[in-house]
């Protein structure tokens, strides 16, 4: 029994040793495997870590490069698009009439008008080949250009007035839809020429040239040899010092002019006399010079022919102001002197011979500077009734 126990103890001890050995053997192998596995994992992770930034950067560069290029291309496209849009916008502005509005004013303009709209119209006519001074003053030269243009368009009336119809055809000419040859319109217009010839052939010779109510216009001519009597130099201001014939007036008109200037001085306005008497020969030379420079038709719009000028009567004086540099233009009407003359000239026997809006009656357009002596009675009637010498005398 004791031997059996001893054998059992030995077996148990051997079994314990075997189990212990097995347990220790498994542990190192397992640890080694774990370390190797961990090492592999670390290596793999390191490799991934080493490779990942490169790969990611490469991928990112590869991925972003087209985006950058695309962005660059898109910017280029946008710039081009913006330029195209700008071009389109400019074209749109031109097409929708904004440019037209800048070049061609809306409304009606006639002789005597002035301002920005007149300048715009003058610029437009110059684009067609006319040579107008862009001064915003619708004077005789601009009237002639308008008439010359109108004479080349059968649908327009030749009246020298800028209106809707004239504006429409000027725009067509600017757009190349209408051919205009500046300076030839009036010469080619048979109706205008025929009318001019008829007026010249039917002109009457004034039978009473010395009368203070003598009617002188395109249909009533003074005799070529008529020289008024009692011509004197009125004691008034002139913008020149030379003793020229154009200082002269008939005594009766000179006295009235002196009274008017004295009254103006008391009212605080500074009037200047610019041009009075002109002989038949002098007027003939003036018209001939204007005709050579501008053509006969053009000259006839702003310069009277010999015998048709009121200056030959000795009853007329053109007045002006220092505010407009002593010039004779419609701006005179806007000066203090011009406004005073309009209100008080008739009190001294003078009328504004060619009032605004009476062109169809007088044959001349607005001249606020041109004063004609007709006596106080006739002057006050003509002024208060807003009429003309033609109407006063019953000759329309």
């Amino acid at each position: 029994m004791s031997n059996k126990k001893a054998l059992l103890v030995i077996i148990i001890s051997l079994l314990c040793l075997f189990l212990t050995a097995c347990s220790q053997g498994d542990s190192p192998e397992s640890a080694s495997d774990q370390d190797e596995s961990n090492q592999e994992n670390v290596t793999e992770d390191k490799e991934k870590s080493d490779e990942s930034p490169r790969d990611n950067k490469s991928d990112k560069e590869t991925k972003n490069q087209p985006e950058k290029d695309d962005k660059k291309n898109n910017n280029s496209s946008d710039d081009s698009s913006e330029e195209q849009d700008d071009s389109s916008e400019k074209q749109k502005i031109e097409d929708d009439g904004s440019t037209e509005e800048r070049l061609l004013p809306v409304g009606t303009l006639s002789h005597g008008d002035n301002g920005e709209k007149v300048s715009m119209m003058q610029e437009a006519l110059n684009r067609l080949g006319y040579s107008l001074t862009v001064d915003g003053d619708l004077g005789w030269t601009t009237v002639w250009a308008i008439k010359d243009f109108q004479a080349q368009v059968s649908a327009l009336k030749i009246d020298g007035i800028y209106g809707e119809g004239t504006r429409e055809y000027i725009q067509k000419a600017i757009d190349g839809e209408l051919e205009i040859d500046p300076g030839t319109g009036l010469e080619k217009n048979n109706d205008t020429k025929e009318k001019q010839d008829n007026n010249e052939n039917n002109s009457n010779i004034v039978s009473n040239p010395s009368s203070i109510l003598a009617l002188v216009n395109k249909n009533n001519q003074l005799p070529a040899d008529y020289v008024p009597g009692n011509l004197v130099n009125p004691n008034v201001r002139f913008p020149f010092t030379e003793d020229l014939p154009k200082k002269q007036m008939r005594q009766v008109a000179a006295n009235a002019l002196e009274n008017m200037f004295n009254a103006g001085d008391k009212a605080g306005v500074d009037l200047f006399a610019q041009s009075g008497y002109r002989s038949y020969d002098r007027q003939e030379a003036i018209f001939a010079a204007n005709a050579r420079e501008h053509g006969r038709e053009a000259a006839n719009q702003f310069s009277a022919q010999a015998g048709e000028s009121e200056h030959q009567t000795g009853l007329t004086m053109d007045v002006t102001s220092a505010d407009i540099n002593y010039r004779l233009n419609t701006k005179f009407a806007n000066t203090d002197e011009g406004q005073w003359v309009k209100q008080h000239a008739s009190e001294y026997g003078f009328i504004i011979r060619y009032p605004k809006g009476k062109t169809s009656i007088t044959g001349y357009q607005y001249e606020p500077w041109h004063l004609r002596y007709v006596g106080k009675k006739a002057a006050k009637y003509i002024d208060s009734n807003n009429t003309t010498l033609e109407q006063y005398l019953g000759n329309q």
Side-chain angles (χ1 to χ4, degrees), residues 222-228 277-280 306-307 309-314:
L222 289 167
D225 59 354
Y226 174 70
V227 177
Y277 171 68
R278 293 178 204 156
S279 68
Y280 184 97
S309 173
E310 283 198 329
H311 286 276
Q312 189 183 342
T313 66

Side-chain angles (χ1 to χ4, degrees), residues 235-246:
N235 185 21
V236 297
R237 283 181 298 274
F238 289 88
F240 54 89
T241 58
E242 298 86 352
D243 187 17
L244 302 175
K246 67 177 183 177

Side-chain angles (χ1 to χ4, degrees), residues 29-46:
E29 184 180 356
S30 177
S32 177
D33 291 344
Q34 182 66 36
D35 290 342
E36 184 178 352
S37 174
N38 289 340
Q39 184 65 30
E40 289 176 357
N41 289 338
V42 169
T43 302
E44 183 178 355
D45 290 341
K46 187 174 184 301

Side-chain angles (χ1 to χ4, degrees), residues 286-357:
I286 291 174
F287 183 82
N290 287 326
R292 284 193 300 271
E293 182 176 355
H294 303 284
R296 182 182 177 85
E297 289 287 352
N300 203 38
Q301 303 303 313
F302 60 85
S303 178
Q305 296 186 48
E308 297 177 3
S309 173
E310 283 198 329
H311 286 276
Q312 189 183 342
T313 66
L315 299 171
T316 293
M317 180 63 74
D318 292 334
V319 296
T320 185
S321 165
D323 289 345
I324 55 173
N325 296 320
Y326 312 111
R327 297 175 62 188
L328 301 176
N329 58 38
T330 55
K331 293 179 181 179
F332 176 69
N334 299 323
T335 66
D336 292 340
E337 288 74 20
Q339 293 175 12
W340 187 88
V341 164
K342 179 175 174 57
Q343 294 175 6
H344 299 284
S346 63
E347 298 172 14
Y348 304 93
F350 290 96
I351 60 172
I352 295 176
R353 180 65 177 90
Y354 307 119
K356 196 170 187 177

Side-chain angles (χ1 to χ4, degrees), residues 36-92:
E36 184 178 352
S37 174
N38 289 340
Q39 184 65 30
E40 289 176 357
N41 289 338
V42 169
T43 302
E44 183 178 355
D45 290 341
K46 187 174 184 301
E47 290 175 354
K48 288 182 178 179
S49 177
D50 292 340
E51 293 175 0
S52 179
R54 289 196 303 270
D55 293 343
N56 289 343
K57 183 178 180 181
S58 178
D59 290 342
K60 186 175 181 180
E61 289 176 354
T62 303
K63 181 178 180 181
N64 291 340
Q65 186 65 35
E67 293 179 358
K68 186 176 181 181
D69 292 340
D70 288 343
K71 185 175 182 181
K72 182 177 180 181
N73 291 336
N74 288 338
N75 288 339
S76 176
S77 177
D78 291 342
D79 292 342
S80 176
S81 177
E82 289 177 1
E83 291 177 2
Q84 185 174 1
D85 289 343
D86 289 343
S87 177
S88 298
E89 184 64 22
K90 290 177 182 177
Q91 185 62 41
K92 182 180 179 182

Side-chain angles (χ1 to χ4, degrees), residues 83-356:
E83 291 177 2
Q84 185 174 1
D85 289 343
D86 289 343
S87 177
S88 298
E89 184 64 22
K90 290 177 182 177
Q91 185 62 41
K92 182 180 179 182
I93 290 175
E94 292 177 357
D95 291 344
D96 68 11
S98 297
T99 300
E100 173 188 331
E101 179 65 21
R102 181 178 66 82
L103 291 173
L104 296 174
V106 176
T108 301
L109 299 170
S110 60
H111 184 272
D113 289 332
N114 54 67
E116 180 62 24
K117 286 189 174 183
V118 175
S119 294
M120 292 162 63
M121 179 191 63
Q122 290 171 330
E123 289 175 353
L125 288 170
N126 284 347
R127 289 187 64 185
L128 300 180
Y130 291 93
S131 299
L132 300 174
T133 299
V134 182
D135 56 4
D137 183 13
L138 210 165
W140 289 115
T141 303
T142 301
V143 169
W144 167 81
I146 296 172
K147 283 189 173 184
D148 183 78
F149 176 86
Q150 292 170 333
Q152 298 181 60
V153 182
S154 59
L156 295 178
K157 180 181 179 181
I158 308 171
D159 55 9
I161 298 174
Y162 173 92
E164 182 179 353
T166 299
R167 176 180 183 272
E168 176 186 351
Y169 283 98
I170 289 177
Q171 184 59 53
K172 288 183 177 181
I174 290 175
D175 293 340
E177 300 176 13
L178 180 66
E179 185 176 350
I180 295 296
D181 187 6
T184 65
L186 291 175
E187 293 178 1
K188 294 179 179 179
N189 188 274
N190 293 329
D191 291 338
T192 301
K193 182 64 176 175
E194 182 179 355
K195 182 178 180 180
Q196 177 189 356
D197 291 341
N198 288 339
N199 285 342
E200 290 182 353
N201 294 334
N202 294 329
S203 292
N204 299 313
I205 300 300
V206 177
S207 60
N208 57 341
S210 61
S211 169
I212 62 171
L213 290 177
L215 181 62
V216 181
N217 55 28
K218 293 182 178 180
N219 296 318
N220 296 276
Q221 297 183 356
L222 289 167
D225 59 354
Y226 174 70
V227 177
N230 300 320
L231 287 173
V232 298
N233 291 350
N235 185 21
V236 297
R237 283 181 298 274
F238 289 88
F240 54 89
T241 58
E242 298 86 352
D243 187 17
L244 302 175
K246 67 177 183 177
K247 277 187 173 182
Q248 297 177 330
M249 296 185 78
R250 284 174 58 181
Q251 184 73 64
V252 62
N255 292 341
L257 190 72
E258 290 173 356
N259 292 336
M260 188 178 75
F261 270 54
N262 290 334
D265 288 343
K266 293 178 181 179
V269 296
D270 297 322
L271 288 167
F272 283 80
Q274 179 64 276
S275 183
Y277 171 68
R278 293 178 204 156
S279 68
Y280 184 97
D281 292 341
R282 174 60 178 160
Q283 189 65 41
E284 187 173 45
I286 291 174
F287 183 82
N290 287 326
R292 284 193 300 271
E293 182 176 355
H294 303 284
R296 182 182 177 85
E297 289 287 352
N300 203 38
Q301 303 303 313
F302 60 85
S303 178
Q305 296 186 48
E308 297 177 3
S309 173
E310 283 198 329
H311 286 276
Q312 189 183 342
T313 66
L315 299 171
T316 293
M317 180 63 74
D318 292 334
V319 296
T320 185
S321 165
D323 289 345
I324 55 173
N325 296 320
Y326 312 111
R327 297 175 62 188
L328 301 176
N329 58 38
T330 55
K331 293 179 181 179
F332 176 69
N334 299 323
T335 66
D336 292 340
E337 288 74 20
Q339 293 175 12
W340 187 88
V341 164
K342 179 175 174 57
Q343 294 175 6
H344 299 284
S346 63
E347 298 172 14
Y348 304 93
F350 290 96
I351 60 172
I352 295 176
R353 180 65 177 90
Y354 307 119
K356 196 170 187 177

